[in-house]
């Protein structure tokens, strides 16, 4: 997927001015936050479980090369074929080749963010394979001209029931339905046909279990089970950072992922899939491929951003982010929105291509508090900001102001002089009132709030006066 | 250079990998895999009755329904009652493993084969059940194919109380112990399939079953 993150400010402004989006975001916000708050109470030692999850993800990242080899050995021993992809283009090449080898006409897909990174659907169409998204949300996006998702767990959180109803009526050419169950039933019937006729299933992978060479897939709709049970070829596309050591670790993470993502104690379906179907088995794929993807991840290993690779893609950070809650996911411009996206997008697509994202946060640390693997998202955002400054990527005006500030602040005399003028000027500007409604130097800032007027003397002056009194 | 070598090469370089530290790290990995350490566990009462009670409560919370009978031989009649109660068809696709029960005697016509789109009722057993979350664990095999719990609109599962374990950890351990290795398809199922994609409103019966009904066998 091509990144539009460089246009964050325009995108965000458009989102703020869109009344339908604003209403939809307001509905969604409460549901996610409240449900999670209730669900985590079921865990006696939630903090301890988060800490354990953090540790086990760290363990893997610290020796990622060897864990990947371990997974590869064990998966291969069970009949899977492990392929590697450096970038999105290579993912597409691999899938096209697999498709050709097995004479594939149609591929049903359950949600894979990697496939979004790669723009896989367009690439498959170009090679004559029909891709069909089967997650209800992803399907809605696909039939709406391949619209990008706006949330990693709830891809159409930005859409209202009315918008979906209009879309189904137009695309399915059926009488307009206005009830959510009826729309869901209609999608079920359309997609059931595709499940039964597809010869390839493409899925993401929530976790790769090194111990057994398995992939763990977590879904509620059951589409993940369909695409990995019915077609004769199954392709798993997942990032190299998704390895976990053991089945016990999977159990630990499964206490956190559904609760953090949707506020469920467990997702309806957790499938742990290992290898290909036995000759006498009645269902399951005859061929299983893993495509392990780098696309920027390897370079994050060993860096000051390595902690970001612990992410288990639960979406809690965006659900709790005041900025995301207001502008929705599209404004972020690439596959991953919210705080995790503001860290990942610059890391994977280049710091210079996502200049505003590290600033698209108030650093309130709501995300850091809810993250099930304890990723210090505000710290990472701050580090990205520092990097931008080091590399002179910020706009010249901001740089000039900061340079001037640094110069003044480094000299006590200049600083005192500046402050002396400053407080007097601002007091004069307030004209006797307690606050200043509009600052011409920062009109955007005073649009939403007043600037408190100073009393007319600097701290140093007041201090000296008070000290002079007996 | 292959992409594999390229990617692993860069990871190794970033981690400062050399032959000496690789040996130590490999030993470390083997230790971790042998230890199979568990994370913190929520409290689950362990007596059999408590496990069954919790399984029932959690299953109901996940929109499943539960019936309790004394022996497996009573299962066909209990299932027939359930189907009649909801006005559901009495034709069902079943696990070949369950073919020996007296289905005809209960008035149910069964087919022991893989599931097809037209099948409206699917009857399975389970490998075990997890009390912590009210979850069924199904293992695919030639006589317990996976799609029977997925394609039909109604899924009925026979669950012996003796096969209820506290958590997912015990479920995995049981599978490795009894089967020697993880079977190809392990499916944990908690209630009917659902979606909340449109306006975060939960709807049951997304792609899989609309209903999941547990037949809990107390005496087995
Ligand atoms: S950063 Fe943390 S909270 Fe955000 S998606 Fe990843 S795991 Fe979830």
């Amino acid at each position: 997927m091509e990144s539009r993150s460089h246009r964050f400010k325009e995108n965000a402004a458009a989102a703020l001015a869109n009344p339908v989006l604003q209403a939809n975001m307001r509905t969604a916000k409460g549901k996610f936050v409240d449900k999670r708050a209730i669900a985590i109470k079921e865990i006696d030692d939630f903090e301890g479980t988060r800490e354990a999850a953090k540790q086990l993800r760290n363990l893997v990242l610290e020796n990622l090369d060897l864990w990947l080899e371990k997974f590869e050995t064990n998966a291969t021993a069970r009949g899977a074929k492990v392929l590697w992809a450096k970038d999105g283009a290579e993912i597409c090449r691999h899938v096209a080749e697999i498709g050709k080898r097995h004479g594939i006409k149609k591929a049903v897909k359950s949600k894979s963010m990697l496939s979004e990174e790669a723009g896989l659907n367009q690439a498959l169409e170009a090679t004559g394979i029909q891709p069909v998204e089967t997650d209800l949300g992803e399907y809605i996006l696909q039939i709406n001209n391949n619209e990008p998702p706006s949330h990693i767990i709830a891809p159409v959180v930005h859409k209202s029931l009315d918008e979906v109803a209009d879309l189904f009526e137009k695309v399915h050419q059926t009488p307009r339905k206005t009830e959510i169950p009826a729309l869901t039933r209609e999608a079920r019937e359309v997609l059931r046909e595709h499940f039964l006729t597809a010869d390839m299933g493409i899925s993401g992978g929530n976790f790769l279990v090194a111990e057994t060479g398995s992939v763990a897939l977590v879904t509620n709709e059951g589409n993940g089970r369909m695409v990995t049970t019915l077609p004769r070829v199954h392709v798993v596309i997942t990032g190299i950072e998704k390895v976990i050591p053991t089945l016990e670790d999977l159990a630990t993470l499964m206490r956190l992922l559904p609760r953090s993502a949707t506020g469920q104690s467990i997702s309806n379906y957790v499938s742990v899939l290992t290898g290909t179907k036995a000759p006498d088995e009645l269902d399951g794929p005859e061929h299983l491929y893993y495509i392990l993807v780098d696309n920027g991840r390897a370079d994050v290993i060993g860096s000051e951003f390595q902690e970001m690779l612990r992410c288990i893609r639960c979406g809690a950070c965006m659900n709790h982010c005041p900025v995301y809650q207001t502008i929705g996911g599209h404004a972020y411009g690439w596959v991953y929105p919210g705080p995790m996206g503001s860290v990942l997008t610059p890391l994977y697509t280049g710091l210079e291509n996502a200049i505003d994202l590290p600033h698209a946060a108030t650093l309130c640390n709501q995300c850091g508090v809810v993250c099930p693997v304890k990723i210090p998202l505000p710290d990472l955002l701050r580090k990205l900001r520092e990097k931008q400054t080091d590399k002179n990527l910020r706009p010249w005006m901001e740089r000039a102001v900061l340079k001037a500030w640094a110069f003044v602040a480094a000299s006590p005399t200049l600083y005192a002089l500046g402050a002396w003028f400053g407080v007097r000027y601002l007091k004069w500007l307030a004209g006797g009132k307690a606050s200043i409604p509009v600052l011409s130097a920062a009109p955007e800032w005073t649009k939403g709030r007043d600037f408190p007027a100073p009393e007319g003397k600097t701290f140093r002056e007041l201090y000296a006066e008070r000290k002079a009194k007996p | 250079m292959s992409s594999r070598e390229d990617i692993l090469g860069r990871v190794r370089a970033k981690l400062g990998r050399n032959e000496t530290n690789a040996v130590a790290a490999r030993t470390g990995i083997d230790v971790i895999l042998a230890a199979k350490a568990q994370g913190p566990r929520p409290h689950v009462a362990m007596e059999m009755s408590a496990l069954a009670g919790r399984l029932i409560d959690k299953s109901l919370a996940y929109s499943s329904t539960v019936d309790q009978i004394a022996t497996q031989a009573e299962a066909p009649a209990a299932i027939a009652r359930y189907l009649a109660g909801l006005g559901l068809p009495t034709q069902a696709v079943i696990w070949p493993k369950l073919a020996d029960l007296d289905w005809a005697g209960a008035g149910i016509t069964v087919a022991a084969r893989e599931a097809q789109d037209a099948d409206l009722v699917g009857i399975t057993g389970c490998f075990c059940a997890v009390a912590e979350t009210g979850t069924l664990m199904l293992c695919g095999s030639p006589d317990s194919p996976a799609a029977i719990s997925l394609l039909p609109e109604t899924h009925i599962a026979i669950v012996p109380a003796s096969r209820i374990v506290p958590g997912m950890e015990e479920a995995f351990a049981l599978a490795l112990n009894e089967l020697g290795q993880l079977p190809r398809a392990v499916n944990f199922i908690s209630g009917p399939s659902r979606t909340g994609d449109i306006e975060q409103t939960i709807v049951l019966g997304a792609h899989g079953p609309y209903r999941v009904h547990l037949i809990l066998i107390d005496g087995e």
Side-chain angles (χ1 to χ4, degrees):
Chain A
M1 174 176 168
E2 210 176 307
S3 169
R4 291 170 60 250
S5 298
H6 55 283
R7 297 180 47 193
F8 176 78
K9 282 192 180 158
E10 292 156 73
N11 300 343
L16 287 172
N18 178 342
V20 182
L21 176 75
Q22 288 301 315
N24 298 344
M25 292 308 295
R26 262 196 304 278
T27 324
K29 162 169 124 185
K31 295 196 183 173
F32 281 123
V33 171
D34 298 348
K35 281 188 176 173
R36 172 191 173 274
I38 296 168
I40 63 169
K41 290 211 191 95
E42 298 167 348
I43 301 278
D44 302 321
D45 185 6
F46 184 68
E47 281 312 308
T49 312
R50 277 176 88 212
E51 183 60 32
K54 169 184 166 178
Q55 299 299 348
L56 80 90
R57 294 292 293 133
N58 278 350
L59 268 180
V60 168
L61 297 175
E62 281 157 16
N63 287 303
L64 184 62
D65 54 338
L66 302 176
W67 283 109
L68 281 165
E69 286 171 7
K70 185 59 96 186
F71 171 79
E72 184 184 37
T73 308
N74 289 341
T76 311
R78 292 290 299 266
K81 192 147 175 30
V82 179
L83 308 169
W84 302 72
K86 274 182 282 201
D87 52 25
E90 197 169 1
I91 299 177
C92 297
R93 274 204 304 282
H94 279 314
V95 180
E97 265 165 39
I98 297 167
K100 212 162 143 202
R101 184 172 321 139
H102 298 290
I104 304 297
K105 300 255 157 27
K106 186 193 287 185
V108 278
K109 299 175 66 199
S110 72
K111 192 157 52 202
S112 151
M113 299 315 285
L114 252 314
S115 133
E116 303 280 347
E117 284 185 40
L120 180 63
N121 286 359
Q122 289 81 340
L124 284 180
E125 276 163 16
T127 58
I129 299 174
Q130 182 193 357
V132 182
E133 294 290 349
T134 63
D135 173 87
L136 177 59
E138 295 280 347
Y139 172 71
I140 291 170
L141 295 174
Q142 190 185 20
I143 61 173
N144 194 28
N145 294 320
N146 286 313
E147 185 187 348
S150 73
H151 190 288
I152 58 172
I153 300 291
V156 290
V157 63
H158 60 287
K159 277 207 186 320
S160 66
L161 165 59
D162 272 345
E163 291 172 284
V164 178
D166 290 345
L167 185 67
F168 275 24
E169 181 185 12
K170 192 178 93 198
V171 176
H172 295 159
Q173 310 240 325
T174 46
R176 191 171 191 279
K177 313 208 169 34
T178 49
E179 306 274 308
I180 296 176
L183 290 165
T184 307
R185 175 112 215 172
E186 184 167 312
R188 174 189 171 107
E189 280 161 12
V190 171
L191 288 168
R192 183 55 79 94
E193 196 53 41
H194 288 302
F195 286 128
L196 296 168
T197 51
D199 24 30
M200 180 194 269
I202 299 176
S203 73
N206 291 85
F207 303 106
L208 302 173
V209 186
E211 175 189 11
T212 51
S214 319
V215 60
L217 272 183
V218 181
T219 72
N220 282 319
E221 296 183 1
N223 61 323
R225 288 191 61 197
M226 294 274 185
V227 309
T228 60
T229 305
L230 301 178
R232 59 194 161 85
V233 179
H234 174 201
V235 182
V236 182
I237 308 176
T238 192
I240 52 171
E241 83 283 19
K242 288 293 183 72
V243 185
I244 59 172
T246 62
L247 295 168
E248 283 70 15
D249 296 325
L250 178 60
T252 299
L253 288 164
M254 284 314 302
R255 293 196 175 94
L256 296 170
L257 175 59
R259 288 187 171 89
S260 304
T262 48
Q264 290 171 283
S265 327
I266 181 100
S267 303
N268 288 85
Y269 299 112
V270 180
S271 303
V272 185
L273 305 168
T274 318
T276 48
K277 123 188 212 287
D280 54 349
E281 260 189 292
L282 300 175
D283 47 26
E286 290 152 32
H287 305 277
L288 171 62
Y289 295 89
Y290 285 97
I291 304 181
L292 304 183
V293 186
D294 168 12
N295 212 27
R297 289 156 176 81
D299 293 333
V300 180
I301 289 289
S303 79
E304 56 194 315
F305 299 102
Q306 176 168 309
E307 294 192 271
M308 193 60 224
L309 296 181
R310 287 204 298 267
C311 175
I312 58 171
R313 304 286 190 267
C314 71
C317 54
M318 58 198 76
N319 293 339
H320 291 77
C321 174
V323 176
Y324 177 91
Q325 285 167 355
T326 319
I327 62 173
H330 282 159
Y332 293 81
W334 197 53
V335 180
Y336 304 105
M340 55 87 86
S342 294
V343 177
L344 283 178
T345 307
L347 291 178
Y348 291 177
T349 69
L351 204 52
E352 63 286 357
N353 297 321
I355 201 77
D356 292 315
L357 289 190
H359 297 263
T362 63
L363 303 186
C364 69
N365 198 31
Q366 272 296 306
C367 50
V369 171
V370 297
C371 176
V373 286
K374 296 177 98 168
I375 299 173
L377 289 151
D379 291 348
L380 299 181
L381 289 167
R382 212 175 287 118
K383 278 185 198 157
L384 284 168
R385 294 181 185 183
E386 282 166 18
K387 271 216 138 83
Q388 288 184 336
T389 311
D390 290 348
K391 292 191 171 172
N392 279 336
L393 290 172
R394 299 300 306 160
W396 71 267
M397 179 76 154
E398 184 182 311
R399 274 163 28 215
V401 170
L402 285 176
K403 273 228 172 76
W405 171 258
F407 180 74
V408 173
S411 149
T413 328
L414 265 184
Y415 187 88
L417 197 68
W420 192 91
F421 271 114
V423 291
R424 279 165 179 80
Y425 169 70
L426 287 170
K427 186 185 178 190
W428 170 79
L429 208 61
K433 296 203 194 69
S435 60
I436 306 166
V438 183
L439 269 184
S440 55
E444 290 296 322
W445 197 90
T446 46
K447 222 187 228 171
R449 39 185 134 26
D450 291 346
F451 190 84
E455 300 281 350
K457 281 185 183 162
T458 67
F459 174 77
R460 289 200 208 184
E461 285 176 85
L462 291 170
Y463 185 72
E465 275 173 23
R466 206 160 291 177
K467 224 178 151 189
K469 278 190 206 146
Chain B
M1 186 177 15
S2 73
S3 294
R4 179 185 188 277
E5 280 318 299
D6 177 79
I7 296 168
L8 284 176
R10 272 180 297 126
V11 173
R12 287 185 195 118
K14 292 271 182 179
L15 292 173
R17 177 70 64 222
N18 59 40
E19 281 182 20
T20 331
N21 64 27
V23 175
R26 279 207 185 90
T27 316
I29 285 178
D30 290 338
V31 170
I32 291 168
L33 292 182
K36 288 171 78 64
Q38 299 182 5
R41 304 273 305 261
H43 173 75
V44 175
M46 297 289 285
E47 316 78 58
M48 183 129 87
S49 63
L51 285 178
R54 180 158 179 148
L55 181 77
I56 293 170
D57 289 349
K58 294 285 167 180
S59 298
L60 295 175
Y62 260 74
S63 316
S64 295
T65 48
V66 184
D67 189 7
Q68 282 173 278
I69 55 175
T71 64
Q72 173 153 304
E74 297 166 33
I79 291 173
R81 276 198 304 278
Y82 169 76
L83 294 174
L86 290 177
L88 293 168
T90 49
Q91 290 80 36
V93 57
I94 62 166
W95 273 7
K97 218 180 230 182
L98 299 173
D100 290 344
L101 292 176
D102 182 14
W103 298 104
I108 303 175
T109 317
V110 297
R113 49 161 168 74
E114 80 271 29
Q116 292 161 2
D117 185 38
D119 295 321
L120 292 175
V121 177
I123 301 173
T124 72
C126 71
F127 178 77
C128 66
V130 177
E132 182 182 328
T133 48
T135 300
L136 303 172
M137 182 197 198
L138 273 61
C139 293
S141 76
D143 58 5
S144 57
I148 296 183
S149 60
L150 181 63
L151 286 178
E153 292 187 0
T154 304
H155 171 208
I156 301 168
I158 301 174
V159 185
S162 61
R163 300 294 291 182
I164 306 176
V165 297
M168 221 183 224
E169 285 88 344
E170 288 74 24
F172 283 130
L174 200 60
L176 294 178
N177 208 349
E178 292 182 358
L179 308 174
Q181 62 174 11
L182 271 198
R184 184 193 63 78
V186 172
N187 285 298
F188 291 96
I189 300 174
S190 311
S193 80
R194 70 185 65 202
T195 177
D197 272 349
I198 304 177
E199 294 195 346
Q200 280 56 63
T201 302
I202 304 297
V203 177
L204 297 185
H207 292 301
Y210 284 81
R211 310 165 200 91
V212 174
H213 183 62
L214 273 58
I215 305 278
L216 191 59
I217 308 175
D218 290 328
E220 281 169 33

